[in-house]
Amino acid sequence: MATATYEYKVRDRSGSMRTGTLDAESPTAVAARLKQMGYAPISITEANAGMQKEIKIPGFSGKKKISLKDLAVFSRQFATMINSGLSLLRALNILTEQTENKEFARVLGVVRNDIESGNSLSSAMAKHPDAFPPLMVNMTRAGEVGGFLDTVMLQIAHNYEAEVKLRGKVKAAMTYPVVVLCIALLAVVGMLLFIVPTFAGLFKTLGGTLPLPTRVLVTLSTGLKVGIVPVIVLIIAGRVTWKKVKNRTEVRNVVDPLKLKLPVFGELFRKIALTRFARNLGTMMSSGVPILQSLDIVAETTGNVVLERATRAVQESVRTGESLSGPLTEHPVFPPMVVQMMAVGEDTGALDTMLGKIAEFYDQEVEATTEALTALIEPLMIAFLGGIVGSMIIALYMPIFKIFDLIK
């Protein structure tokens, strides 16, 4: 039987009025489900009754992605409410209603219903891996078991806020060169498609042999007019293909080591990966997540297969009863400072504190590196753009200069 979307108004156990939507076969089925959830139905009406139904295009769900910023805001607000004495259900109700991301609000509504059915918060969150990362689920589970869920939620908020800030720094550093590169490409394509053909017609009427740079430019213009559509198709196909294969193990085994060896950006990528490693491991350990489980999750969140292998080696070392920092000396991606600070943290029983200091240090390093890169790249990109456009203009005017020389 076909289902429809119904809008409802109910009163909850405290007598408060609530509204929402449910998908069901009939209003009777909606009423039954609402009663099972502990609500008293007041009215049930079919959504968009008498209106044109929404047309759904295959492959486009219209769902907004749940970002780290959404998770950070949720964690901080949730921690504040729990610390203020609100129940889990009451806090989730408030957050469901005020969350701007509709997809996240839907997920929170499902989590709330699961908790009403007797599930724990962490198990309800674990059913939505696209919304709640493993790090968040495991930290929440540790907070539930230890009775300090509000503290854990604050730690999650700090972790994700730091990650959002880190991504913002890198994005800010990369925005300028990417914009300049796009402008340069558009300028080159525009000149090849619209300006060079005009000059090519003029050169053809003049006769004679064109200078080599001009001939190259005319050839590129002719080729681009024929191949512009295939090039665009190839770019789009390449982008789609890359999105599908970039997370495969065989691809990451090749690409990730190359990232760390890049002449300018390799050091930046390494510092970002070290920041994530230290912050995530320190946050999980301070929250009471078991060390082996923490290392397993951290290995998946470093963002680079080189650090992932090193973390797996550490995990095996700890599993056999050896030290945490010992295997790191065999992996050059970890600087001696990181290894020594972790060793001191193990000896003093303050490893989580040491990891936090490492994360703070590399946060500052990433900020300094991005600022230096921005200062270096800006003049280089300006010179690059001016060089390309200037070279094309000179190549176009070289035949005219030759004519003037002949007239003289």
Side-chain angles (χ1 to χ4, degrees):
M1 185 176 179
T3 60
T5 301
Y6 293 89
E7 297 176 344
Y8 64 81
K9 291 182 180 179
V10 297
R11 289 194 182 277
D12 60 13
R13 294 185 178 92
S14 64
S16 300
M17 182 79 73
R18 294 189 189 176
T19 60
T21 60
L22 276 176
D23 294 332
E25 293 81 10
S26 65
T28 305
V30 175
R33 288 175 61 182
L34 291 172
K35 289 178 181 178
Q36 288 176 357
M37 293 161 62
Y39 298 138
I42 297 175
S43 66
I44 299 172
T45 57
E46 185 175 353
N48 298 325
M51 298 174 64
Q52 185 178 5
K53 292 186 177 179
E54 180 183 2
I55 300 174
K56 294 185 178 180
I57 302 174
F60 294 87
S61 61
K63 294 180 180 178
K64 184 181 178 182
K65 185 179 179 181
I66 299 171
S67 65
L68 282 179
K69 187 175 181 180
D70 293 327
L71 294 177
V73 172
F74 162 77
S75 301
R76 184 165 294 281
Q77 292 178 341
F78 192 59
T80 303
M81 293 178 189
I82 296 299
N83 194 35
S84 301
L86 272 69
S87 66
L88 283 178
L89 289 176
R90 188 77 178 270
L92 286 170
N93 282 334
I94 295 171
L95 290 170
T96 301
E97 293 174 0
Q98 72 178 29
T99 300
E100 295 180 1
N101 188 324
K102 295 187 181 298
E103 175 62 13
F104 195 28
R106 183 193 68 79
V107 171
L108 290 178
V110 177
V111 169
R112 178 196 60 200
N113 294 339
D114 284 345
I115 294 174
E116 283 184 323
S117 302
N119 294 320
S120 65
L121 176 61
S122 58
S123 61
M125 292 167 66
K127 295 179 182 178
H128 307 277
D130 293 337
F132 302 105
L135 182 144
M136 187 173 185
V137 174
N138 283 277
M139 287 182 65
T140 302
R141 184 176 292 117
E144 287 178 314
V145 173
F148 46 88
L149 184 60
D150 55 339
T151 304
V152 166
M153 281 295 169
L154 279 177
Q155 290 176 328
I156 293 172
H158 284 307
N159 185 289
Y160 286 146
E161 284 167 355
E163 181 68 18
V164 169
K165 186 178 179 181
L166 178 67
R167 292 185 179 185
K169 292 174 185 175
V170 178
K171 186 177 180 181
M174 296 297 103
T175 298
Y176 184 83
V178 169
V179 169
V180 173
L181 182 61
C182 291
I183 292 173
L185 290 175
L186 288 174
V188 169
V189 171
M191 291 183 71
L192 289 174
L193 289 178
F194 303 107
I195 298 176
V196 174
T198 303
F199 278 85
L202 175 62
F203 299 153
K204 190 174 181 180
T205 59
L206 293 175
T209 304
L210 296 174
L212 179 60
T214 310
R215 293 202 304 270
V216 172
L217 203 60
V218 171
T219 303
L220 287 174
S221 175
T222 304
L224 187 62
K225 289 172 68 176
V226 175
I228 183 67
V229 174
V231 167
I232 293 174
V233 171
L234 284 174
I235 292 173
I236 295 173
R239 184 177 175 84
V240 173
T241 303
W242 174 248
K243 283 186 176 181
K244 290 182 179 180
V245 304
K246 67 179 181 179
N247 292 323
R248 292 183 182 178
T249 304
E250 56 271 21
V251 176
R252 292 187 63 200
N253 286 337
V254 176
V255 174
D256 285 359
L258 290 177
K259 284 182 179 179
L260 301 180
K261 295 178 182 177
L262 290 174
V264 178
F265 296 97
E267 190 63 22
L268 176 62
F269 290 140
R270 184 170 78 125
K271 290 175 180 177
I272 292 171
L274 288 171
T275 302
R276 286 175 178 160
F277 168 84
R279 181 186 297 118
N280 291 341
L281 183 58
T283 303
M284 297 194 76
M285 292 186 66
S286 64
S287 301
V289 180
I291 181 63
L292 289 176
Q293 193 173 359
S294 298
L295 288 169
D296 188 48
I297 295 168
V298 168
E300 299 175 359
T301 58
T302 56
N304 192 286
V305 73
V306 178
L307 269 84
E308 182 178 342
R309 291 172 188 162
T311 307
R312 298 292 183 194
V314 173
Q315 188 180 21
E316 291 303 316
S317 174
V318 174
R319 185 175 281 114
T320 56
E322 298 179 11
S323 68
L324 184 68
S325 57
L328 297 182
T329 57
E330 302 173 6
H331 299 271
V333 70
F334 287 97
M337 185 202 76
V338 174
V339 179
Q340 292 300 321
M341 287 184 69
M342 289 182 65
V344 172
E346 279 187 289
D347 294 339
T348 59
L351 182 59
D352 55 340
T353 303
M354 282 296 186
L355 288 167
K357 292 183 181 298
I358 293 170
E360 289 177 7
F361 172 78
Y362 279 106
D363 263 335
Q364 295 172 357
E365 284 288 297
V366 168
E367 185 172 0
T369 304
T370 52
E371 289 177 358
L373 280 175
T374 303
L376 174 66
I377 287 173
E378 284 186 10
L380 290 177
M381 293 303 293
I382 292 173
F384 171 73
L385 177 57
I388 289 180
V389 177
S391 299
M392 294 181 70
I393 292 173
I394 291 172
L396 287 175
Y397 278 93
M398 282 179 71
I400 298 176
F401 296 151
K402 187 176 180 181
I403 293 171
F404 289 154
D405 291 339
L406 290 174
I407 292 173
K408 291 179 182 179

